């Protein structure tokens, strides 16, 4: 079975294993979600030496896909959680509920949540804190808009999001950061590799989470650009949207990891 430790190299925290995470967003019904899961599972062994695999289906599929994934070594995650433990929050899902159905990770602060639901750094921070309290690993998303990049504000924006979104108690062992330039998500456009390297180096330095932190890149990652992105020193994996809906592409990205 694939070792699912965040730093599953068997040598403590000296090396960061790549994490290839699929964010299915609001896609998939039972039949196609299960078919995609089975295809990912079928290819998981072949990439186990390269990367840890994670799938984050919509809430409706989590339980069933979790059952299908049992023993496969592919980890299960969710795309959001509420900051509170329980209560009158219609339509929301608590972190402990996700842990209860087998989730190990939860994405928080995705730019689509920040845009569609007006989530602030403070709310993302509270959600990440709730995830930690439930024993989940939050994947905390940050990234600049196109206007912010064009006006030279990328590093300032990322620095401020890091400061606001990372909760007390987060460490390199229990949290992951995903750098996702908003303008690169679902557009087919990506920053240049020096631009990605610059932001990831800043995240490593200024997150306060130390040298063992896993930092994912997200935004139009696909098989054809995965190697150049994953080969960068501070890129420890990918958060994959569109390409995670095709098992062959998702697995090819993991296979491309150096
Ligand atoms: C995402 O939404 O996290 C993402 C990176 O999407 P895409 O890969 O489709 O750009």
């Amino acid at each position: 079975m694939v070792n699912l430790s965040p730093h599953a190299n068997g040598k403590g925290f000296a090396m960061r294993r790549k994490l290839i995470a699929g964010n299915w967003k609001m896609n998939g019904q039972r039949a196609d979600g299960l078919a995609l899961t089975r295809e990912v599972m079928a290819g998981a062994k072949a990439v186990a030496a390269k990367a840890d695999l994670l799938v984050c289906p919509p809430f409706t599929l989590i339980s069933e896909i979790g059952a299908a994934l049992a023993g496969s070594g592919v980890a299960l995650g969710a795309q959001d959680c509420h900051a509170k433990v329980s209560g009158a929050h219609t339509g929301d899902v608590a972190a402990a509920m996700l842990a209860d159905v087998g989730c190990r990770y939860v994405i928080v602060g995705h730019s689509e949540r920040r845009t569609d639901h007006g989530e602030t750094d403070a709310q993302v921070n509270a959600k990440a804190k709730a995830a930690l309290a439930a024993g989940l690993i939050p994947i905390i998303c940050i990234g600049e808009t196109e206007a912010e990049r064009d006006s030279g504000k990328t590093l300032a924006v990322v620095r401020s999001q890091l400061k606001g979104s990372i909760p007390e108690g987060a460490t390199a062992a229990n949290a992951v950061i995903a750098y996702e330039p908003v303008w690169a998500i679902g557009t087919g456009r990506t920053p240049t590799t020096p631009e990605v390297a610059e932001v990831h180096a800043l995240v490593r330095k200024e997150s306060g989470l130390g040298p063992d932190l896993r930092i994912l890149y997200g935004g139009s990652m696909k098989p054809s650009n995965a190697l150049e992105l994953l080969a960068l020193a501070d890129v420890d994996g990918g958060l994959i949207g569109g390409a995670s809906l095709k098992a062959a592409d998702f697995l090819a990205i993991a296979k491309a990891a150096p």
Side-chain angles (χ1 to χ4, degrees):
M1 194 179 125
V2 182
N3 186 343
L4 288 177
S5 150
H7 302 279
N9 54 50
K11 299 174 192 148
F13 295 102
M15 257 174 66
R16 300 184 301 266
R17 260 177 72 78
K18 301 279 196 241
L19 173 63
I20 303 298
N23 173 12
W24 294 4
K25 310 195 186 190
M26 196 172 70
N27 293 293
Q29 301 203 355
R30 292 172 65 208
D32 39 291
L34 276 171
L36 175 56
T37 302
R38 289 198 185 101
E39 280 184 68
V40 169
M41 284 163 57
K45 261 210 182 97
V47 301
K50 297 255 183 165
D52 295 334
L53 294 181
L54 162 67
V55 293
C56 301
F59 288 135
T60 50
L61 301 183
I62 286 177
S63 197
E64 196 164 353
I65 285 179
L69 286 175
S72 70
V74 179
L76 181 69
Q79 300 171 20
D80 182 44
C81 68
H82 197 275
K84 294 268 167 62
V85 170
S86 63
H89 301 287
T90 302
D92 281 313
V93 174
M97 294 171 175
L98 300 172
D100 185 44
V101 290
C103 286
R104 187 145 187 279
Y105 293 83
V106 60
I107 299 167
V108 293
H110 190 282
S111 67
E112 287 152 13
R113 301 279 326 166
R114 290 178 186 261
T115 303
D116 295 355
H117 301 273
E119 290 186 8
T120 62
D121 286 339
Q123 286 168 317
V124 174
N125 186 309
K127 287 179 179 216
K129 196 169 186 172
L132 292 176
L136 297 176
I137 297 174
I139 299 178
I140 303 166
C141 299
I142 54 168
E144 81 286 1
T145 63
E146 186 159 28
E148 288 164 343
R149 176 160 286 275
D150 289 346
S151 54
K153 295 192 185 128
T154 298
L155 299 185
V157 166
V158 165
R159 194 174 278 127
S160 154
Q161 289 176 330
L162 284 174
K163 195 161 181 272
S165 306
I166 300 176
E168 214 176 290
T171 68
N174 67 15
V176 171
I177 304 286
Y179 168 56
E180 299 205 301
V182 179
W183 53 273
I185 294 178
T187 60
R189 298 162 58 207
T190 54
T192 64
T193 48
E195 286 168 344
V196 174
E198 180 183 40
V199 176
H200 279 239
L202 176 130
V203 172
R204 174 132 0 257
K205 191 158 166 258
E206 302 207 5
S207 64
L209 301 184
D212 300 318
L213 173 69
R214 291 211 283 195
I215 308 168
L216 312 185
Y217 168 78
S220 297
M221 192 185 273
K222 51 192 178 220
S224 59
N225 63 18
L227 174 58
E228 62 174 345
L229 290 162
L230 294 172
L232 295 171
D234 287 308
V235 175
D236 306 307
L239 182 52
I240 324 291
S244 73
L245 297 173
K246 284 189 189 153
D249 286 355
F250 185 59
L251 292 164
I253 289 170
K255 220 170 272 171

